[in-house]
Amino acid sequence: MSNAVPQPSPLRQQDPEVAAWLQREDRRQSQSLTLIASENHCSSAVREASQSRITDKYAEGYPQKRYYGGCEVADGIEELARQRAMQLFAGAEDANVQPHSGTTANLSALLALAGVGGRIVGMALKAGGHLSHGHDKSHTGVVFQARQYGVDDRGRIDLDEVRRVVKEHQPKVLIAGGSSYARNIDYAAFAAIAREASAVLLADIAHPAGLIAAGVVPSPVGIADVVTMTTHKTLRGPRGGMILAKKELAKQINSAVFPGSQGGPLVQQIAAKAVAFGEALRPEFRDYQQRVKDNAAYLAERLLGAGLDIVTGGTDNHIVLVDLRKTDVTGAQVEERALAAGLSVNKNAIPGDPRPPMVTSGLRLGTAAVTTRGFGRDQIAIVADVITGLVKGGDPERFRGTIHGLCEAFPLP
Ligand code: DSN
């Protein structure tokens, strides 16, 4: 047995204040359950790569075509990430791994495909779309002429409405994808609508990217002209974005990322993306994604069984969107109660929401992070009971011990 006294880390020694905040976040994550649909827990290998020394390196440009010397390692890392990305998303013809986020990936793709002032059509945020699909408060609603489509009264995309909006607006780009849409998207139908208007199809798979990579939900790769995504949600990598493009669009996309909308790439994040893609290429990743999907379906089933409403009546992916309109509580109130019980969730607008965005009548849940911790049906059943109890007015303190027990039994990776 070693008698060595553990040494404080350089950070703890030099800056105890920041170290204490980071330690507090470690504690927060390990002692609560993340049910925020856009979050996950990446592996320690991914974290190690993203904190590597290559954070010091500028590498503006692309492999073999950089604006600075000393980029041979950055070249190797970026090329490896690109090759793994194309292996992971079968049928991808080109990959740009530099976007810092899903929003910059979308801005870059739209700059390349629509041009400044160009017309775009995307799903409205309040229907389940995303800010960067042309919302008027986002640069994508300022730089481009945007029109938006909604969902029908069951909460599902209405392809006839998409066709009508596209016909009227004649966009250069049609966007398919969302951030709180729990159903599969018919990418072939979207592609046909885009073709009728001579538009290109951009599929934003930020949320289901991991499920798509694993083949457990339908993929737009090979159907859409361009596919954008984040790497940190179901894909379980580091925070960041990525764009897959058909070969003939790759040059335009690359120029729109750099120099169009970003400067130097974050090479440490690209290294971490390469690690995450390597993990996603392993057979166990498919099993993980199947469990994410099964857990979401079971969560929806249990909540419905307890009398709660779910937008669209269920889910095809990792998202469950609870409709609270017939209860006495708002999304904001349940979010606060859940936090007190040890559950991290987010209030979310539901289609046709009568309440403002900081209040909402919905609750968006996701199963990626708890499945990473190892959750299966038994634990999902407990979580569903706790959420139901909180919605029905139960004291959060009453559930704290149950959640704490789950956190102890299923530690972070
Ligand atoms: N913040 C992400 C989400 O929660 O879906 C999208 O930007």
Side-chain angles (χ1 to χ4, degrees), residues 154-178:
R154 299 167 310 152
R156 298 206 181 223
I157 291 174
D158 175 353
L159 289 167
D160 291 334
E161 198 211 335
V162 177
R163 181 174 285 104
R164 183 184 58 72
V165 176
V166 165
K167 221 168 158 181
E168 274 174 25
H169 194 51
Q170 290 294 308
K172 287 192 173 157
V173 186
L174 171 61
I175 307 168

PDB file of all heavy atoms in Angstrom, residues 154-178:
ATOM      1  N   ARG A 154     -52.331  17.280 -33.838  1.00  0.00           N
ATOM      2  CA  ARG A 154     -51.818  16.142 -33.061  1.00  0.00           C
ATOM      3  C   ARG A 154     -50.339  16.357 -32.691  1.00  0.00           C
ATOM      4  O   ARG A 154     -49.705  15.498 -32.099  1.00  0.00           O
ATOM      5  CB  ARG A 154     -51.918  14.845 -33.877  1.00  0.00           C
ATOM      6  CG  ARG A 154     -53.344  14.446 -34.275  1.00  0.00           C
ATOM      7  CD  ARG A 154     -53.305  13.346 -35.335  1.00  0.00           C
ATOM      8  NE  ARG A 154     -52.404  13.718 -36.419  1.00  0.00           N
ATOM      9  CZ  ARG A 154     -51.734  12.848 -37.192  1.00  0.00           C
ATOM     10  NH1 ARG A 154     -51.859  11.552 -37.002  1.00  0.00           N
ATOM     11  NH2 ARG A 154     -50.942  13.274 -38.156  1.00  0.00           N
ATOM     12  N   GLY A 155     -49.782  17.495 -33.144  1.00  0.00           N
ATOM     13  CA  GLY A 155     -48.374  17.789 -32.844  1.00  0.00           C
ATOM     14  C   GLY A 155     -47.413  17.203 -33.866  1.00  0.00           C
ATOM     15  O   GLY A 155     -46.203  17.204 -33.654  1.00  0.00           O
ATOM     16  N   ARG A 156     -47.950  16.702 -35.001  1.00  0.00           N
ATOM     17  CA  ARG A 156     -47.082  16.072 -36.007  1.00  0.00           C
ATOM     18  C   ARG A 156     -46.846  17.004 -37.191  1.00  0.00           C
ATOM     19  O   ARG A 156     -47.712  17.815 -37.522  1.00  0.00           O
ATOM     20  CB  ARG A 156     -47.724  14.788 -36.520  1.00  0.00           C
ATOM     21  CG  ARG A 156     -47.899  13.784 -35.395  1.00  0.00           C
ATOM     22  CD  ARG A 156     -47.920  12.407 -35.967  1.00  0.00           C
ATOM     23  NE  ARG A 156     -48.113  11.442 -34.910  1.00  0.00           N
ATOM     24  CZ  ARG A 156     -47.440  10.297 -34.823  1.00  0.00           C
ATOM     25  NH1 ARG A 156     -46.539   9.998 -35.720  1.00  0.00           N
ATOM     26  NH2 ARG A 156     -47.688   9.458 -33.844  1.00  0.00           N
ATOM     27  N   ILE A 157     -45.694  16.852 -37.834  1.00  0.00           N
ATOM     28  CA  ILE A 157     -45.416  17.638 -39.039  1.00  0.00           C
ATOM     29  C   ILE A 157     -46.480  17.312 -40.075  1.00  0.00           C
ATOM     30  O   ILE A 157     -46.785  16.136 -40.317  1.00  0.00           O
ATOM     31  CB  ILE A 157     -44.014  17.299 -39.589  1.00  0.00           C
ATOM     32  CG1 ILE A 157     -42.939  17.825 -38.638  1.00  0.00           C
ATOM     33  CG2 ILE A 157     -43.827  17.875 -40.997  1.00  0.00           C
ATOM     34  CD1 ILE A 157     -41.519  17.420 -39.002  1.00  0.00           C
ATOM     35  N   ASP A 158     -47.027  18.366 -40.672  1.00  0.00           N
ATOM     36  CA  ASP A 158     -48.043  18.210 -41.696  1.00  0.00           C
ATOM     37  C   ASP A 158     -47.357  18.502 -43.040  1.00  0.00           C
ATOM     38  O   ASP A 158     -47.070  19.658 -43.361  1.00  0.00           O
ATOM     39  CB  ASP A 158     -49.177  19.210 -41.402  1.00  0.00           C
ATOM     40  CG  ASP A 158     -50.240  19.219 -42.485  1.00  0.00           C
ATOM     41  OD1 ASP A 158     -50.034  18.561 -43.528  1.00  0.00           O
ATOM     42  OD2 ASP A 158     -51.253  19.911 -42.287  1.00  0.00           O
ATOM     43  N   LEU A 159     -47.097  17.440 -43.797  1.00  0.00           N
ATOM     44  CA  LEU A 159     -46.319  17.612 -45.037  1.00  0.00           C
ATOM     45  C   LEU A 159     -47.056  18.486 -46.047  1.00  0.00           C
ATOM     46  O   LEU A 159     -46.419  19.174 -46.849  1.00  0.00           O
ATOM     47  CB  LEU A 159     -45.975  16.244 -45.639  1.00  0.00           C
ATOM     48  CG  LEU A 159     -44.929  15.466 -44.823  1.00  0.00           C
ATOM     49  CD1 LEU A 159     -44.854  14.018 -45.264  1.00  0.00           C
ATOM     50  CD2 LEU A 159     -43.554  16.126 -44.925  1.00  0.00           C
ATOM     51  N   ASP A 160     -48.401  18.492 -45.981  1.00  0.00           N
ATOM     52  CA  ASP A 160     -49.142  19.371 -46.902  1.00  0.00           C
ATOM     53  C   ASP A 160     -48.869  20.832 -46.569  1.00  0.00           C
ATOM     54  O   ASP A 160     -48.742  21.669 -47.457  1.00  0.00           O
ATOM     55  CB  ASP A 160     -50.655  19.097 -46.821  1.00  0.00           C
ATOM     56  CG  ASP A 160     -50.978  17.728 -47.404  1.00  0.00           C
ATOM     57  OD1 ASP A 160     -50.193  17.259 -48.269  1.00  0.00           O
ATOM     58  OD2 ASP A 160     -51.983  17.124 -46.974  1.00  0.00           O
ATOM     59  N   GLU A 161     -48.763  21.122 -45.265  1.00  0.00           N
ATOM     60  CA  GLU A 161     -48.464  22.505 -44.894  1.00  0.00           C
ATOM     61  C   GLU A 161     -47.037  22.876 -45.297  1.00  0.00           C
ATOM     62  O   GLU A 161     -46.775  23.975 -45.776  1.00  0.00           O
ATOM     63  CB  GLU A 161     -48.670  22.748 -43.383  1.00  0.00           C
ATOM     64  CG  GLU A 161     -48.802  24.249 -43.101  1.00  0.00           C
ATOM     65  CD  GLU A 161     -48.297  24.719 -41.747  1.00  0.00           C
ATOM     66  OE1 GLU A 161     -48.258  23.907 -40.812  1.00  0.00           O
ATOM     67  OE2 GLU A 161     -47.931  25.912 -41.642  1.00  0.00           O
ATOM     68  N   VAL A 162     -46.105  21.932 -45.104  1.00  0.00           N
ATOM     69  CA  VAL A 162     -44.714  22.198 -45.508  1.00  0.00           C
ATOM     70  C   VAL A 162     -44.703  22.531 -47.010  1.00  0.00           C
ATOM     71  O   VAL A 162     -44.117  23.538 -47.442  1.00  0.00           O
ATOM     72  CB  VAL A 162     -43.802  20.979 -45.221  1.00  0.00           C
ATOM     73  CG1 VAL A 162     -42.386  21.244 -45.709  1.00  0.00           C
ATOM     74  CG2 VAL A 162     -43.804  20.630 -43.735  1.00  0.00           C
ATOM     75  N   ARG A 163     -45.411  21.713 -47.799  1.00  0.00           N
ATOM     76  CA  ARG A 163     -45.451  21.922 -49.266  1.00  0.00           C
ATOM     77  C   ARG A 163     -46.054  23.303 -49.599  1.00  0.00           C
ATOM     78  O   ARG A 163     -45.542  24.021 -50.445  1.00  0.00           O
ATOM     79  CB  ARG A 163     -46.242  20.793 -49.935  1.00  0.00           C
ATOM     80  CG  ARG A 163     -46.300  20.943 -51.450  1.00  0.00           C
ATOM     81  CD  ARG A 163     -46.948  19.762 -52.152  1.00  0.00           C
ATOM     82  NE  ARG A 163     -46.071  18.603 -52.193  1.00  0.00           N
ATOM     83  CZ  ARG A 163     -46.177  17.514 -51.426  1.00  0.00           C
ATOM     84  NH1 ARG A 163     -47.147  17.425 -50.538  1.00  0.00           N
ATOM     85  NH2 ARG A 163     -45.337  16.515 -51.540  1.00  0.00           N
ATOM     86  N   ARG A 164     -47.121  23.661 -48.882  1.00  0.00           N
ATOM     87  CA  ARG A 164     -47.783  24.942 -49.153  1.00  0.00           C
ATOM     88  C   ARG A 164     -46.834  26.116 -48.857  1.00  0.00           C
ATOM     89  O   ARG A 164     -46.676  27.026 -49.665  1.00  0.00           O
ATOM     90  CB  ARG A 164     -49.060  25.050 -48.286  1.00  0.00           C
ATOM     91  CG  ARG A 164     -49.893  26.303 -48.529  1.00  0.00           C
ATOM     92  CD  ARG A 164     -51.083  26.393 -47.577  1.00  0.00           C
ATOM     93  NE  ARG A 164     -50.715  26.386 -46.162  1.00  0.00           N
ATOM     94  CZ  ARG A 164     -50.134  27.403 -45.530  1.00  0.00           C
ATOM     95  NH1 ARG A 164     -49.872  28.521 -46.166  1.00  0.00           N
ATOM     96  NH2 ARG A 164     -49.821  27.308 -44.244  1.00  0.00           N
ATOM     97  N   VAL A 165     -46.156  26.056 -47.701  1.00  0.00           N
ATOM     98  CA  VAL A 165     -45.237  27.152 -47.333  1.00  0.00           C
ATOM     99  C   VAL A 165     -44.081  27.232 -48.335  1.00  0.00           C
ATOM    100  O   VAL A 165     -43.687  28.319 -48.783  1.00  0.00           O
ATOM    101  CB  VAL A 165     -44.711  26.971 -45.880  1.00  0.00           C
ATOM    102  CG1 VAL A 165     -43.683  28.036 -45.519  1.00  0.00           C
ATOM    103  CG2 VAL A 165     -45.858  27.001 -44.880  1.00  0.00           C
ATOM    104  N   VAL A 166     -43.574  26.074 -48.730  1.00  0.00           N
ATOM    105  CA  VAL A 166     -42.451  26.049 -49.679  1.00  0.00           C
ATOM    106  C   VAL A 166     -42.894  26.605 -51.036  1.00  0.00           C
ATOM    107  O   VAL A 166     -42.179  27.392 -51.670  1.00  0.00           O
ATOM    108  CB  VAL A 166     -41.897  24.605 -49.807  1.00  0.00           C
ATOM    109  CG1 VAL A 166     -40.989  24.450 -51.019  1.00  0.00           C
ATOM    110  CG2 VAL A 166     -41.139  24.234 -48.537  1.00  0.00           C
ATOM    111  N   LYS A 167     -44.091  26.241 -51.460  1.00  0.00           N
ATOM    112  CA  LYS A 167     -44.599  26.707 -52.752  1.00  0.00           C
ATOM    113  C   LYS A 167     -44.759  28.236 -52.760  1.00  0.00           C
ATOM    114  O   LYS A 167     -44.377  28.914 -53.707  1.00  0.00           O
ATOM    115  CB  LYS A 167     -45.958  26.046 -53.017  1.00  0.00           C
ATOM    116  CG  LYS A 167     -46.109  25.601 -54.453  1.00  0.00           C
ATOM    117  CD  LYS A 167     -47.296  24.718 -54.577  1.00  0.00           C
ATOM    118  CE  LYS A 167     -47.724  24.739 -56.044  1.00  0.00           C
ATOM    119  NZ  LYS A 167     -48.890  23.940 -56.278  1.00  0.00           N
ATOM    120  N   GLU A 168     -45.261  28.743 -51.620  1.00  0.00           N
ATOM    121  CA  GLU A 168     -45.469  30.193 -51.542  1.00  0.00           C
ATOM    122  C   GLU A 168     -44.148  30.964 -51.451  1.00  0.00           C
ATOM    123  O   GLU A 168     -43.981  31.997 -52.073  1.00  0.00           O
ATOM    124  CB  GLU A 168     -46.256  30.528 -50.260  1.00  0.00           C
ATOM    125  CG  GLU A 168     -47.755  30.427 -50.425  1.00  0.00           C
ATOM    126  CD  GLU A 168     -48.451  30.633 -49.086  1.00  0.00           C
ATOM    127  OE1 GLU A 168     -47.895  31.287 -48.155  1.00  0.00           O
ATOM    128  OE2 GLU A 168     -49.557  30.109 -48.983  1.00  0.00           O
ATOM    129  N   HIS A 169     -43.223  30.431 -50.652  1.00  0.00           N
ATOM    130  CA  HIS A 169     -42.011  31.203 -50.325  1.00  0.00           C
ATOM    131  C   HIS A 169     -40.873  30.952 -51.317  1.00  0.00           C
ATOM    132  O   HIS A 169     -39.958  31.762 -51.418  1.00  0.00           O
ATOM    133  CB  HIS A 169     -41.582  30.845 -48.898  1.00  0.00           C
ATOM    134  CG  HIS A 169     -40.573  31.788 -48.289  1.00  0.00           C
ATOM    135  ND1 HIS A 169     -40.743  33.156 -48.261  1.00  0.00           N
ATOM    136  CD2 HIS A 169     -39.364  31.544 -47.679  1.00  0.00           C
ATOM    137  CE1 HIS A 169     -39.700  33.709 -47.647  1.00  0.00           C
ATOM    138  NE2 HIS A 169     -38.849  32.756 -47.303  1.00  0.00           N
ATOM    139  N   GLN A 170     -40.927  29.809 -52.038  1.00  0.00           N
ATOM    140  CA  GLN A 170     -39.866  29.448 -52.998  1.00  0.00           C
ATOM    141  C   GLN A 170     -38.464  29.615 -52.387  1.00  0.00           C
ATOM    142  O   GLN A 170     -37.633  30.393 -52.869  1.00  0.00           O
ATOM    143  CB  GLN A 170     -39.990  30.308 -54.269  1.00  0.00           C
ATOM    144  CG  GLN A 170     -41.220  29.964 -55.108  1.00  0.00           C
ATOM    145  CD  GLN A 170     -41.135  28.555 -55.695  1.00  0.00           C
ATOM    146  OE1 GLN A 170     -40.148  28.175 -56.329  1.00  0.00           O
ATOM    147  NE2 GLN A 170     -42.159  27.728 -55.455  1.00  0.00           N
ATOM    148  N   PRO A 171     -38.186  28.850 -51.304  1.00  0.00           N
ATOM    149  CA  PRO A 171     -36.880  29.018 -50.641  1.00  0.00           C
ATOM    150  C   PRO A 171     -35.743  28.372 -51.434  1.00  0.00           C
ATOM    151  O   PRO A 171     -35.985  27.511 -52.289  1.00  0.00           O
ATOM    152  CB  PRO A 171     -37.078  28.254 -49.329  1.00  0.00           C
ATOM    153  CG  PRO A 171     -38.014  27.147 -49.705  1.00  0.00           C
ATOM    154  CD  PRO A 171     -38.957  27.750 -50.709  1.00  0.00           C
ATOM    155  N   LYS A 172     -34.529  28.790 -51.070  1.00  0.00           N
ATOM    156  CA  LYS A 172     -33.356  28.075 -51.608  1.00  0.00           C
ATOM    157  C   LYS A 172     -33.055  26.863 -50.733  1.00  0.00           C
ATOM    158  O   LYS A 172     -32.449  25.904 -51.187  1.00  0.00           O
ATOM    159  CB  LYS A 172     -32.152  29.005 -51.632  1.00  0.00           C
ATOM    160  CG  LYS A 172     -32.246  30.057 -52.732  1.00  0.00           C
ATOM    161  CD  LYS A 172     -30.911  30.741 -52.898  1.00  0.00           C
ATOM    162  CE  LYS A 172     -30.944  31.670 -54.096  1.00  0.00           C
ATOM    163  NZ  LYS A 172     -29.929  32.715 -54.008  1.00  0.00           N
ATOM    164  N   VAL A 173     -33.446  26.966 -49.448  1.00  0.00           N
ATOM    165  CA  VAL A 173     -33.167  25.862 -48.514  1.00  0.00           C
ATOM    166  C   VAL A 173     -34.415  25.516 -47.710  1.00  0.00           C
ATOM    167  O   VAL A 173     -35.064  26.397 -47.156  1.00  0.00           O
ATOM    168  CB  VAL A 173     -32.042  26.232 -47.505  1.00  0.00           C
ATOM    169  CG1 VAL A 173     -31.668  25.021 -46.656  1.00  0.00           C
ATOM    170  CG2 VAL A 173     -30.822  26.776 -48.206  1.00  0.00           C
ATOM    171  N   LEU A 174     -34.715  24.230 -47.658  1.00  0.00           N
ATOM    172  CA  LEU A 174     -35.779  23.718 -46.787  1.00  0.00           C
ATOM    173  C   LEU A 174     -35.090  22.958 -45.649  1.00  0.00           C
ATOM    174  O   LEU A 174     -34.220  22.113 -45.911  1.00  0.00           O
ATOM    175  CB  LEU A 174     -36.706  22.783 -47.578  1.00  0.00           C
ATOM    176  CG  LEU A 174     -37.732  21.997 -46.754  1.00  0.00           C
ATOM    177  CD1 LEU A 174     -38.700  22.926 -46.010  1.00  0.00           C
ATOM    178  CD2 LEU A 174     -38.530  21.040 -47.659  1.00  0.00           C
ATOM    179  N   ILE A 175     -35.483  23.273 -44.408  1.00  0.00           N
ATOM    180  CA  ILE A 175     -34.849  22.612 -43.251  1.00  0.00           C
ATOM    181  C   ILE A 175     -35.824  21.607 -42.627  1.00  0.00           C
ATOM    182  O   ILE A 175     -36.977  21.941 -42.353  1.00  0.00           O
ATOM    183  CB  ILE A 175     -34.444  23.637 -42.164  1.00  0.00           C
ATOM    184  CG1 ILE A 175     -33.592  24.751 -42.769  1.00  0.00           C
ATOM    185  CG2 ILE A 175     -33.700  22.948 -41.021  1.00  0.00           C
ATOM    186  CD1 ILE A 175     -33.386  25.947 -41.827  1.00  0.00           C
ATOM    187  N   ALA A 176     -35.324  20.387 -42.395  1.00  0.00           N
ATOM    188  CA  ALA A 176     -36.102  19.362 -41.679  1.00  0.00           C
ATOM    189  C   ALA A 176     -35.363  19.043 -40.390  1.00  0.00           C
ATOM    190  O   ALA A 176     -34.155  18.810 -40.416  1.00  0.00           O
ATOM    191  CB  ALA A 176     -36.206  18.105 -42.538  1.00  0.00           C
ATOM    192  N   GLY A 177     -36.079  19.052 -39.270  1.00  0.00           N
ATOM    193  CA  GLY A 177     -35.417  18.716 -38.002  1.00  0.00           C
ATOM    194  C   GLY A 177     -35.905  19.639 -36.918  1.00  0.00           C
ATOM    195  O   GLY A 177     -36.484  20.690 -37.211  1.00  0.00           O
ATOM    196  N   GLY A 178     -35.689  19.251 -35.660  1.00  0.00           N
ATOM    197  CA  GLY A 178     -36.185  20.090 -34.574  1.00  0.00           C
ATOM    198  C   GLY A 178     -35.441  19.856 -33.284  1.00  0.00           C
ATOM    199  O   GLY A 178     -34.484  19.062 -33.239  1.00  0.00           O
TER     200      GLY A 178
END
